[in-house]
Amino acid sequence: MSESNPQYQPEPAADPEAAEGKLGEILEQRRRKLEQVRQEGGDPFVNRFPISHRIGEIADKYGELSDEEYEETKAQRFVVAGRVMAKRLQGKVVFMDLRDGTGRIQLFVRMNELGEEAFARVKELDIGDIVGSAGGVFRTRTKELSIWVREIQLLTKSMYPLPEKWHGLQDVETRYRQRYVDLIANPDVMGIFHKRSRMIQLMRRFLDDRGFLEVETPMMQPIAGGAAAKPFTTYHNTLDMPLYLRVAPELYLKRLVVGGIDRVYEINRNFRNEGISTQHNPEFTMVEFYMAYADYNDLMALTEEMLTGIVEDVAGGRTLTYGEEELSFETPWARFKWHDAIVELGECPAEVLRDAGAAREHALKLAARTGYPIPADMDHVHLLEFLFEETVEPKLRQPTFIYDFPRALSPLSKSREDDPEIVERFELIISGREIANAYTELNDPDDQRGRFEAQAAAREAGDEEAHEVDWDYLRALEYGLPPTAGEGIGIDRLAMLLTDSPSIRDVIFFPLMRKTQD
RNA sequence: GGGUCGCUAGCUCAAUUAGGCAGAGCAACGGACUCUUAAUCCGUAGGUUCGGGGUUCGAUUCCCCGGCGGCCUACCA
């Protein structure tokens, strides 16, 4: 543990001296039991306990047997281990619920089976203790699948009381700060993270099956490129060099495409030094993939295929319930050109597209309602962007592709062949949120240099989120980036939709929290 | 960052309307019980009411300052 921050004093672990009242009393009792185990020659923290089955396996393989078959399995030896979640004392019989990472099973412990001494030790076990047990598989009179316990042993003494069994752990702060308790006490939380892992597994499989190579690129970068965002800064002492935590892996992945890895992807964290909300965590997970000889139309089709597959697998159909909404992933998804959407969906007057003055007038009218300040020097494109975000985005509930963006909003995207002011880019919006962003990659080094220079000028003018010029990336483009399309999908936000979670913090094990001061 | 709401036993929640001895369930502890499953029954114990200050005879309750958190909002994905 670091001693560098005297203000930060984590609570001492299970120290009965430090805790008062009921908690201190419970901690003392647990300490006493631990000492008693040692005095009887036992080990309250054993090193190894070889199991024969995980608990879920027993339910799968032996859950549906006939009475005759249970006569056999009751005589056999199954060895399981897990955490005691409930204890029901019944005189000379004890029932306990044992849970491991795969499921829950009941232990049926009889004094006649174990003898008085061993049975007394079982009664001393606490809810929360990790135990190992051997015995037969059978069903009780009430037909509960159970282990007929012939041997039972404490493996790890739990020193802290668990939350209440029926309501679980409700306090959101404790749930985020002590996720391990949340996972023990709230089975639904376990389910959310299983779904998240499943979703990522399916993405990997989808991309692997299509010949994409999974890679890892730098998280610490001398230039933070690939997205418009404020980076975290850090420093390398030996090289005497400032570094940025990456805001996106984009420029490195495209360098790999130049190098010949013409289908490539990375699933990993990005870091953006911005606000925290139900939609934003400072570190978040993206899958970013690049496919040479494809354009943004190909990626729209690919995205539909990948996400419907995931939704079908994880949700069991093409429909998701998210809060009050029913989201249908039935293909094809709605598609609107960015400019058209402002008029057709946003119900802005058509002249805002052609006339900056009209756009300003309409933007000011909307801004008056929301109190958003429209700077006097805001140009036409950014006025339209404001109108889009204000009038269109909130209306897009069902999966929708918005495509053909203005070039000025897309410094790394390629222009359409028939219109240099429009780039081949799309965003996937679901439930009013941007889930994916993709484009045909700008591979003309001269064009890219021009865009970088425009960004550099914006940076000079004070835009902290504008790109720095990445000269090596320009050189890579000069070697030749084949025609390529690339896409990034926000994993956390997708996980929110798939698990019906209202906050991004519900799908991230350890969301960033302010440190506590005692 | 701004606004707003919240913080009571290890956990889940009462009591705050209008200031008057802070309660219950689970968990814990002692006892009964050889098929229970939110086991049941009898009994015991457990509180810096987030911290500090103020008003008051008296503050969990009212006021101020601070801490942490939720939600809304802003920057963004």
Side-chain angles (χ1 to χ4, degrees):
Chain A
M1 283 294 287
S2 166
E3 293 166 50
S4 60
N5 190 340
Q7 289 197 299
Y8 181 45
Q9 297 289 338
E11 272 184 54
D15 179 1
E17 302 295 317
E20 289 172 9
K22 190 62 196 178
L23 179 60
E25 187 187 320
I26 292 170
L27 299 184
E28 271 174 45
Q29 285 159 2
R30 298 277 174 115
R31 292 263 161 199
R32 276 203 299 275
K33 286 183 179 179
L34 182 126
E35 282 313 313
Q36 198 185 335
V37 170
R38 288 195 169 120
Q39 276 166 20
E40 290 168 358
D43 182 354
F45 302 103
V46 309
N47 285 30
R48 183 166 179 271
F49 185 81
I51 58 171
S52 68
H53 293 79
R54 302 188 79 194
I55 287 168
E57 259 183 278
I58 291 181
D60 289 345
K61 291 184 188 163
Y62 306 97
E64 309 287 341
L65 303 186
S66 65
D67 290 353
E68 294 74 31
E69 288 169 316
Y70 278 127
E71 285 301 312
E72 277 180 41
T73 56
K74 190 173 174 181
Q76 291 166 2
R77 187 166 189 269
F78 297 81
V79 186
V80 296
R83 189 183 294 275
V84 175
M85 297 305 297
K87 205 172 93 175
R88 294 178 289 278
L89 270 67
Q90 181 81 34
K92 297 185 173 63
V93 174
V94 177
F95 299 89
M96 287 190 293
D97 291 342
L98 195 68
R99 193 169 78 197
D100 72 2
T102 63
R104 187 205 70 90
I105 199 165
Q106 178 171 263
L107 300 184
F108 179 73
V109 188
R110 262 170 40 120
M111 192 178 79
N112 288 5
E113 194 69 46
L114 292 189
E116 264 182 59
E117 260 181 51
F119 188 76
R121 281 199 295 274
V122 170
K123 288 207 282 191
E124 286 294 296
L125 290 173
D126 287 301
I127 291 169
D129 286 351
I130 311 287
V131 307
S133 179
V137 170
F138 78 114
R139 283 192 181 272
T140 60
R141 274 178 215 162
T142 51
K143 300 298 174 200
E144 171 92 9
L145 188 69
S146 306
I147 301 285
W148 182 278
V149 172
R150 286 186 284 269
E151 303 158 45
I152 184 164
Q153 178 192 353
L154 175 67
L155 302 179
T156 303
K157 187 68 195 165
S158 173
M159 308 298 288
Y160 240 91
L162 288 179
E164 206 231 359
K165 62 186 166 192
W166 192 240
H167 299 93
L169 179 63
Q170 297 297 323
D171 182 73
V172 283
E173 183 173 354
T174 310
R175 289 187 47 222
Y176 297 150
R177 287 189 192 277
Q178 294 172 245
R179 184 69 86 179
Y180 42 93
V181 182
D182 190 28
L183 286 164
I184 294 168
N186 299 327
D188 292 353
V189 173
M190 188 70 84
I192 285 173
F193 286 99
H194 273 273
K195 279 187 181 174
R196 182 187 165 118
S197 285
R198 176 71 182 159
M199 177 187 102
I200 293 170
Q201 181 185 35
L202 292 166
M203 269 181 186
R204 281 210 164 88
R205 189 175 297 164
F206 183 92
L207 292 168
D208 292 345
D209 285 349
R210 284 160 184 75
F212 286 80
L213 185 72
E214 182 171 11
V215 300
E216 293 169 90
T217 62
M219 300 237 181
M220 295 195 292
Q221 304 177 347
I223 295 171
K230 293 191 198 84
F232 287 91
T233 58
T234 185
Y235 194 80
H236 192 280
N237 291 339
T238 305
L239 296 183
D240 190 19
M241 179 171 80
L243 287 168
Y244 301 100
L245 298 188
R246 74 177 185 194
V247 295
E250 173 156 355
L251 300 185
Y252 285 94
L253 289 170
K254 283 191 280 193
R255 282 174 169 95
L256 295 180
V257 179
V258 170
I261 307 176
D262 54 17
R263 291 190 185 189
V264 66
Y265 75 100
E266 177 164 6
I267 297 177
N268 223 318
R269 231 66 64 77
N270 291 340
F271 307 87
R272 299 190 183 174
N273 204 341
E274 281 153 3
I276 294 174
S277 78
T278 50
Q279 312 289 318
H280 301 87
N281 194 62
E283 55 177 306
F284 64 101
T285 304
M286 289 248 293
V287 55
E288 224 172 84
F289 54 94
Y290 291 84
M291 185 175 187
Y293 315 111
D295 72 2
Y296 72 144
N297 287 303
D298 300 314
L299 291 192
M300 279 192 251
L302 191 84
T303 303
E304 280 182 337
E305 193 184 346
M306 173 159 60
L307 295 194
T308 48
I310 288 170
V311 168
E312 276 178 1
D313 183 287
V314 176
R318 292 201 167 192
T319 308
L320 284 183
T321 301
Y322 187 70
E324 305 288 301
E325 296 180 316
E326 291 290 321
L327 302 176
S328 169
F329 285 74
E330 205 60 60
T331 55
W333 299 342
R335 296 185 185 199
F336 290 93
K337 288 189 178 182
W338 191 82
H339 290 87
D340 294 349
I342 292 172
V343 175
E344 291 171 23
L345 297 174
E347 294 168 357
C348 299
E351 59 264 30
V352 302
L353 298 182
R354 292 184 301 273
D355 178 26
R360 171 172 304 279
E361 194 182 318
H362 198 65
L364 285 170
K365 205 158 52 179
L366 293 176
R369 269 190 302 213
T370 59
Y372 183 85
I374 304 284
D377 62 347
M378 196 183 245
D379 63 25
H380 191 189
V381 161
H382 286 91
L383 288 165
L384 291 178
E385 186 186 26
F386 170 79
L387 293 177
F388 182 87
E389 285 167 5
E390 203 66 23
T391 65
V392 180
E393 225 164 55
K395 287 187 185 155
L396 301 175
R397 313 314 301 178
Q398 301 298 323
T400 305
F401 289 119
I402 298 293
Y403 67 103
D404 284 358
F405 280 62
R407 188 173 79 137
L409 300 179
S410 317
L412 300 164
S413 311
K414 191 152 201 194
S415 296
R416 285 180 59 93
E417 286 169 343
D418 59 1
D419 184 351
E421 288 306 311
I422 301 296
V423 293
E424 296 189 355
R425 172 182 171 192
F426 71 83
E427 286 187 357
L428 171 64
I429 298 174
I430 308 175
S431 195
R433 298 155 194 186
E434 187 187 331
I435 298 297
N437 182 23
Y439 34 87
T440 307
E441 300 299 335
L442 176 54
N443 63 347
D444 176 339
D446 294 333
D447 191 348
Q448 183 68 74
R449 182 178 295 105
R451 311 256 194 120
F452 271 154
E453 279 163 3
Q455 290 280 306
R459 210 178 158 77
E460 285 294 303
D463 183 354
E464 281 180 74
E465 295 179 359
H467 276 97
E468 260 182 87
V469 183
D470 187 334
W471 295 103
D472 178 71
Y473 178 68
L474 288 173
R475 178 167 57 200
L477 292 187
E478 283 168 348
Y479 276 92
L481 173 68
T484 298
E487 175 165 346
I489 301 177
I491 298 276
D492 311 280
R493 289 186 177 175
L494 194 56
M496 288 168 68
L497 295 176
L498 285 167
T499 59
D500 195 13
S501 297
S503 170
I504 199 168
R505 300 181 137 201
D506 296 324
V507 300
I508 294 174
F509 275 125
F510 301 103
L512 186 66
M513 303 287 280
R514 203 181 291 268
K515 67 186 178 186
T516 55
Q517 298 179 7
D518 298 292

